[in-house]
DNA sequence: GTAAGAGATTGATGAGTGTCAATATTTATA
DNA sequence: TATAAATATTGACACTCATCAATCTCTTAC
C-alpha cells in the first residue's frame, strides 16, 4: 500500500512518442524506465525472467547466467525492481523475480507508436 | 556507404524480450539504443521531430523548445543521430532532423513482445 | 543456539555523461 | 572579402553509474 507511483505506473498514460510531443513531465516519467533497461546485463535479466518457465526466475539461477559478482546482479535486480519492471517475492531462502509484462507493453506502445 | 552497423540496424533481428533469453550480443546491440532514448531531453527531441509536420524538424525550432544551451541540444541530437534514431539533412544554413520510425517500431517490438 | 547458505547492503573506484562557455565551421549575403 | 547567422566541436566540471570486496540479514537445519 504505497502512494508513490513507480515510473512503470506513470507510463500507461502517454500517447505514442510519434503522435504528439511528449511533455517534460511525461518524458521525466518515462526516462527512468528506459534508463533501467538501457544496460546489457539488465536487458538480459529482464529477458531471462520474462522468458523463464512460469514467468519467474530464482536469483540463484540468474547469478549463474552471468560472470559477474553476486552483489552486482543483486544491484541490477534492485534497479529493475525499484522502477517497477520486476516484482519480488521471497519464498523461504530464495527470492523469485517476475516480469511485469504489462509495463513492458505500455513502454513499447509509447516508443513504437501503437495503441495498447 | 558505411559498413559499420549502427545500433539501429542491429535491433531488427531479435525476437521479443519476453519470448526467449536475449543473447549477450543482442543485448549489447540494443542497450545503446535504449541508452540514447533514456534521457528526458532526448525523448522529447525524438518526439518533437517525429510528431512534427512533415516528419522532420529544424534545429532552430528544437533549440527554442528547451531552456538549454544550443551546444547541449546539438550534443543530444548527435547522440540520437549516431545511434541511428535520427537522420540529418543539411539544407542551406539549416539542419533538419527526421525520425526513423521503423527503428522505433523495431525497438518497441523487442521490448513489448509483439512481432513487427 | 550454532552453522551454513541465499541474497542484500555498504563503501570505494574508475568510467561514463549532461551541461555550459568558448570557439570553430559552414553558408548566405552585402 | 567581410559580416552575420546556424550548427558543431572542444574542453572542463560535477554528477551518475557499473563493478567488486567485505559485510550484513535472514532463513533453514543440525
Amino acid at each position: 500500500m504505497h502512494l508513490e507511483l513507480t515510473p512503470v505506473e506513470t507510463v500507461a498514460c502517454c500517447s505514442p512518442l510519434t503522435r504528439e510531443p511528449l511533455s517534460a513531465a511525461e518524458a521525466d516519467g518515462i526516462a527512468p524506465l528506459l534508463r533501467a533497461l538501457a544496460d546489457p546485463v539488465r536487458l538480459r535479466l529482464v529477458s531471462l525472467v520474462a522468458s523463464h518457465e512460469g514467468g519467474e526466475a530464482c536469483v540463484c539461477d540468474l547469478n549463474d547466467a552471468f560472470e559477474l559478482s553476486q552483489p552486482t546482479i543483486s544491484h541490477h535486480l534492485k534497479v529493475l525492481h525499484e522502477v517497477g519492471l520486476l516484482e519480488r517475492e521471497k519464498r523461504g531462502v530464495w527470492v523469485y523475480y517476475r516480469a511485469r509484462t504489462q509495463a513492458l507493453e505500455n513502454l513499447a506502445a509509447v516508443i513504437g507508436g501503437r495503441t495498447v
Side-chain angles (χ1 to χ4, degrees), chain A:
Chain A
M1 185 62 185
H2 61 127
L3 295 179
E4 279 287 333
L5 274 106
T6 61
V8 97
E9 293 167 308
T10 70
V11 75
C13 55
C14 311
S15 64
L17 205 53
T18 54
R19 282 244 341 258
E20 56 179 341
L22 234 47
S23 73
E26 287 170 333
D28 287 342
I30 301 174
L33 265 181
L34 289 168
R35 213 178 312 125
L37 274 183
D39 177 276
V41 175
R42 290 199 286 268
L43 262 182
R44 291 177 62 197
L45 279 172
V46 171
S47 184
L48 276 170
V49 170
S51 65
H52 199 269
E53 57 173 60
E56 66 180 13
C58 174
V59 175
C60 52
D61 296 330
L62 299 175
N63 278 326
D64 297 343
F66 299 85
E67 296 196 347
L68 291 169
S69 69
Q70 175 265 320
T72 296
I73 299 299
S74 184
H75 161 70
H76 285 306
L77 289 171
K78 183 182 182 180
V79 170
L80 290 167
H81 174 62
E82 281 177 343
V83 88
L85 285 174
L86 291 185
E87 287 175 347
R88 269 182 56 118
E89 189 185 349
K90 186 162 189 175
R91 294 209 286 268
V93 198
W94 296 279
V95 172
Y96 291 81
Y97 281 91
R98 176 178 296 272
R100 285 202 192 167
T101 53
Q102 184 62 58
L104 290 170
E105 286 177 23
N106 290 344
L107 182 59
V110 174
I111 294 176
R114 306 204 209 197
T115 317
V116 179

